[in-house]
Amino acid sequence: MYRYVFPFLTAALIIAGCGKDSEPVAVKRPGPSITINGAGATFPYPIYALWADRYNQLTGVKINYQSIGSGGGVQQIKAGTVDFGASDAPLTADELEKAGLIQFPMIMGGVVPVINLKEVKHGELMLSPNTLAGIYLGKIKKWNDREIVKENPGLKLPDKHIKVVSRADGSGTTWIFTNYLDKVSKDWHDKVGFGKAVDFPVGVRGKGNEGVSAYVQRLEGSIGYVEYVYAIQGRMSYVKLKNKAGKYVSPSIDSFQTAAANAEWAKAPGFYVVLTDQPGVDSWPITGASYIIVHKKQKDKKTSNAMFGFFKWSYEHGANMAKKLYYVPMPDGVVRLVEAKWKSETACFGTELPKHRGKP
Amino acid sequence: MVVDTDATKSLAEPAPRRQAGNRLFRSIAAACAGTLLLLAIGIILELWRNSQLSIRKFGFGFLTSANWNPVQSDFGALSSIYGTIVSTIIALLIAAPMSLVVAIFLVELAPKKLAGFFGTAIELLAAIPSIIYGMWGLFIFAPFMANYIQPWLGKYLGFCPLFQGPPMGIGMLTAGMILALMILPFISSVMRDVLLMVPSVTKESAYGLGATTWEVTKDVSIPSGMRGMVGAVFLGLGRAIGETMAVTFVIGNNHELAASLFASGNTIASTLANEFTEASEPLYLSALIELGLVLFVITALFQIMAHLWLRYTARGNPA
């Protein structure tokens, strides 16, 4: 439903926004308007669109973001056809250096394993990394397998086949999920590996988050993985996961944010931080960030100021909008690191940001 | 060119002027037709050029390997080719006979008014966008398959490997049936037109000899409309083989070869729809483009077969 529902949701919020702030819109815009072009990941599209619209009302700067997929976003920014690219999977420091790019995390989200098992209540089932990997490898075939029972001593688990659901299309969600399995299970690492699309050993595959949710809701005894917002909107039964600190945690905006805060951003060259399996007792282990990629050398001062102004404004004032759409805003500490990076790496940042009209 | 509305007057104009208009029209028509041809050639060349990387790496093995592993960059098209052909065959097996029956009903059996109403309803089906079929398939038809049709098939035909496995409602059979529904309006409306074109004199003389409606249909209408009806089936085939969204929703999108029609599979079109946007590595992209090339070739082969068949029947049936 994602792709179909979210644009409406965004549109509704945008319309609601317009109603409230009709005055600034009526103000005559000074000077020629600037348009910033961006392209890339589909996952952050709803929040980027919302931010862009709000920012446009405030400053008159138009942000035109096309959600063509992470792969496309990386290609477009490398080719220089857009002002910024967006990708769910970070580029390595080498790749960035070679193309003269910098990247920084803009927004985060969590991936949540969801199940359809009527014998088990919401959030009751607890899984360790190895069990989850075992299920996705096809080694653990039934819900009353010894491994699962051992972790859930109080639960009565049925003698049912586990129907494994994964993503058919290449996606950042799969990248984050398989990266996690790759980190925590040697078997997974040897047999499958990680990527935006992988050769899942068992199960059926749905197209998009909406496809996976539909399959899981349809198939009794199934397990799948979706972006957090789907688990919430579909009222799906999520799973508690054992994190690196050995504690079972539930997925929530807080546990995602804890994972991000505990990651060692400062030490990572090019912000290449993968937020899966992070330390911290309350960290959700399958968290991921979506990145913005820009050229170090900006051609046009006005455009680049407007663009960085947009990112800065989004960090500072976009958190509540993000939470409304079930995204996780970047923690303050990370934002400060990113801004320091802008100053040190890009030549023209911070000279003159576009003036905001009205309240930010 | 011709400004006068009066036909006789314009015919009376001097010949050279009419000739000029004729030439102009001819060149415009030729340019339009030529554009189409260039477009087709351009598409083939571009597909060929962009799939070079994959062709050089995998060679002929691309067509015979069922591996599809983006992480290890190991690609084979067999499961997609298999899925494309099997889902199309299922669709045709269901849709072709059904369309024939529908067409016979509309032309020979139904009262005039009712026939008009049904005809419009069927044409309306053809206008529904394929994504709607996909969503309907996933949310309504797949559960129906899982709860009623597949268990029934499994119970009575379960001895046959085609109908084994858990009834998930998602998979090759469901995809084929959705495709059948989608091509049914195309095939049946063409078949109806073909049956309508059978000269009424021929039919009336058969009736005059004492033939029943069934005999007239079987021995007069169907044989004389055979070529047109085969054409209709190929029209449906062409649509089914490249159908993307509806299939993607219900086929399960698994890159594995399975004998059971209950198992999930994939088609070339569904794989392209799923994986193209996020395929960032050159070899991955190239393999996907080669899949597109394979689909192009399969479609062309079917077209050629259709032509051969039509020519063959034309020779056998000089009428």
Side-chain angles (χ1 to χ4, degrees):
Chain A
M1 221 39 31
Y2 188 53
R3 277 190 199 154
Y4 311 107
V5 170
F6 253 150
F8 288 119
L9 204 63
T10 317
L13 284 170
I14 288 169
I15 291 163
C18 286
K20 258 183 270 157
D21 304 295
S22 47
E23 282 156 68
V25 178
V27 176
K28 208 182 158 217
R29 287 185 179 156
S33 69
I34 303 170
T35 303
I36 314 283
N37 291 307
T42 47
F43 157 66
Y45 171 72
I47 185 62
Y48 289 176
L50 185 59
W51 283 343
D53 181 72
R54 202 71 186 82
Y55 191 67
N56 178 248
Q57 287 176 26
L58 288 171
T59 62
V61 173
K62 216 173 158 206
I63 314 276
N64 172 21
Y65 181 73
Q66 297 183 6
S67 56
I68 55 171
S70 300
V74 172
Q75 278 172 5
Q76 301 263 314
I77 186 68
K78 277 186 180 165
T81 47
V82 289
D83 299 308
F84 68 92
S87 171
D88 289 337
L91 298 179
T92 58
D94 283 353
E95 247 183 299
L96 290 170
E97 197 55 47
K98 235 195 302 180
L101 301 166
I102 59 164
Q103 75 183 356
F104 46 89
M106 196 70 220
I107 192 79
M108 296 180 295
V111 178
V112 178
V114 285
I115 56 169
N116 176 354
L117 208 57
K118 57 173 184 282
E119 289 83 354
V120 174
K121 287 201 198 96
H122 280 219
E124 268 191 343
L125 189 77
M126 302 196 275
L127 293 177
S128 73
N130 261 318
T131 323
L132 187 63
I135 291 171
Y136 267 86
L137 279 167
K139 274 194 197 156
I140 297 175
K141 291 192 170 71
K142 289 203 161 173
W143 282 110
N144 63 352
D145 189 281
R146 225 161 18 96
E147 297 275 320
I148 304 179
V149 172
K150 206 171 65 193
E151 281 173 72
N152 299 276
L155 280 185
K156 268 194 185 159
L157 289 159
D159 179 30
K160 272 184 191 157
H161 279 286
I162 303 178
K163 291 167 187 155
V164 178
V165 183
S166 50
R167 274 286 280 272
D169 47 333
S171 71
T173 315
T174 299
W175 195 91
I176 293 164
F177 185 72
T178 53
N179 176 279
Y180 170 66
L181 293 180
D182 190 85
K183 266 187 193 167
V184 296
S185 155
K186 192 175 178 310
D187 246 16
W188 185 272
H189 176 79
D190 293 341
K191 283 184 188 149
V192 185
F194 71 95
K196 284 181 218 151
V198 305
D199 189 15
F200 286 101
V202 287
V204 295
R205 306 185 196 186
K207 175 166 169 51
N209 275 302
E210 64 276 12
V212 174
S213 327
Y215 280 11
V216 171
Q217 281 165 337
R218 275 275 327 113
L219 305 171
E220 168 73 21
S222 61
I223 183 168
Y225 62 92
V226 291
E227 299 277 359
Y228 181 55
V229 58
Y230 288 90
I232 297 272
Q233 283 178 340
R235 298 222 169 94
M236 293 164 88
S237 182
Y238 61 85
V239 170
K240 277 188 182 166
L241 280 179
K242 194 181 190 176
N243 63 18
K244 207 172 187 176
K247 202 183 147 207
Y248 288 97
V249 284
S250 297
S252 71
I253 301 244
D254 288 340
S255 62
F256 303 150
Q257 215 160 7
T258 316
N262 282 324
E264 296 187 315
W265 293 96
K267 288 180 192 162
F271 289 110
Y272 187 94
V273 172
V274 180
L275 292 175
T276 54
D277 202 31
Q278 290 299 321
V281 278
D282 295 320
S283 296
W284 177 254
I286 324 180
T287 306
S290 196
Y291 290 80
I292 296 281
I293 306 165
V294 295
H295 280 284
K296 268 187 204 168
K297 281 203 183 113
Q298 294 288 332
K299 275 176 268 170
D300 182 73
K301 207 168 162 187
K302 244 186 185 163
T303 320
S304 80
N305 276 336
M307 181 170 72
F308 282 108
F310 170 61
F311 297 143
K312 191 173 157 63
W313 175 85
S314 302
Y315 277 140
E316 283 165 9
H317 303 284
N320 281 332
M321 284 180 252
K323 280 180 187 164
K324 253 183 226 161
L325 294 178
Y326 299 99
Y327 289 93
V328 187
M330 298 307 297
D332 290 341
V334 182
V335 172
R336 275 194 297 276
L337 283 173
V338 170
E339 288 181 349
K341 181 93 173 174
W342 290 346
K343 286 201 180 103
S344 65
E345 296 269 344
T346 61
C348 50
F349 168 69
T351 43
E352 33 187 290
L353 297 178
K355 287 194 183 70
H356 295 183
R357 292 187 307 262
K359 274 189 299 180
Chain B
M1 274 283 104
V2 178
V3 198
D4 279 346
T5 44
D6 191 356
T8 46
K9 229 182 185 179
S10 69
L11 278 176
E13 266 184 70
R17 212 173 141 191
R18 274 166 50 217
Q19 289 268 305
N22 222 349
R23 268 203 297 277
L24 184 70
F25 178 70
R26 186 183 296 166
S27 52
I28 289 174
C32 287
T35 314
L36 280 182
L37 190 70
L38 278 181
L39 209 59
I41 294 173
I43 289 172
I44 296 177
L45 283 181
E46 198 63 10
L47 284 174
W48 176 257
R49 198 171 63 88
N50 283 308
S51 55
Q52 276 309 304
L53 201 60
S54 161
I55 291 174
R56 248 179 272 143
K57 174 105 197 268
F58 303 113
F60 191 71
F62 186 75
L63 300 178
T64 55
S65 155
N67 278 346
W68 188 269
N69 191 334
V71 179
Q72 286 159 14
S73 286
D74 183 15
F75 300 105
L78 190 62
S79 74
S80 307
I81 296 173
Y82 173 80
T84 305
I85 292 175
V86 169
S87 62
T88 306
I89 289 176
I90 297 172
L92 286 181
L93 282 180
I94 297 169
M98 246 173 102
S99 307
L100 181 60
V101 173
V102 168
I104 291 172
F105 173 75
L106 290 180
V107 175
E108 311 283 349
L109 303 174
K112 260 249 165 70
K113 267 187 195 156
L114 208 59
F117 177 71
F118 273 105
T120 315
I122 288 170
E123 272 154 22
L124 211 62
L125 272 182
I128 296 175
S130 66
I131 187 132
I132 304 291
Y133 279 101
M135 294 178 87
W136 177 80
L138 179 60
F139 291 114
I140 293 163
F141 191 62
F144 179 73
M145 288 288 288
N147 296 335
Y148 301 104
I149 300 190
Q150 290 186 345
W152 186 86
L153 285 172
K155 197 171 162 196
Y156 294 103
L157 298 168
F159 56 87
C160 168
L162 286 179
F163 302 107
Q164 284 167 1
M168 289 193 296
I170 294 153
M172 202 67 93
L173 186 64
T174 310
M177 287 173 82
I178 291 278
L179 278 180
L181 275 182
M182 293 180 68
I183 61 177
L184 187 85
F186 287 89
I187 305 182
S188 59
S189 66
V190 175
M191 280 190 175
R192 181 193 59 184
D193 295 346
V194 168
L195 286 182
L196 280 175
M197 276 182 346
V198 175
S200 47
V201 186
T202 330
K203 281 199 287 189
E204 275 157 20
S205 49
Y207 279 120
L209 289 172
T212 60
T213 311
W214 166 240
E215 283 165 343
V216 171
T217 309
K218 177 169 69 90
D219 296 326
V220 179
S221 298
I222 294 180
S224 70
M226 198 58 193
R227 292 191 58 189
M229 287 198 261
V230 171
V233 171
F234 273 101
L235 189 76
L237 186 146
R239 192 175 149 93
I241 210 163
E243 176 46 49
T244 310
M245 282 326 286
V247 173
T248 307
F249 269 71
V250 294
I251 200 165
N253 305 302
N254 219 342
H255 285 280
E256 255 153 68
L257 283 177
S260 172
L261 296 181
F262 292 178
S264 59
N266 74 101
T267 69
I268 293 177
S270 76
T271 300
L272 289 177
N274 276 327
E275 301 182 23
F276 208 80
T277 40
E278 296 284 336
S280 35
E281 276 128 63
L283 185 63
Y284 191 4
L285 205 60
S286 174
L288 286 171
I289 291 170
E290 192 177 350
L291 267 188
L293 184 67
V294 171
L295 183 60
F296 202 104
V297 171
I298 293 177
T299 318
L301 282 180
F302 273 117
Q303 290 293 335
I304 292 167
M305 266 163 56
H307 274 285
L308 289 180
W309 164 263
L310 288 181
R311 211 183 287 168
Y312 168 77
T313 48
R315 218 179 295 150
N317 247 358

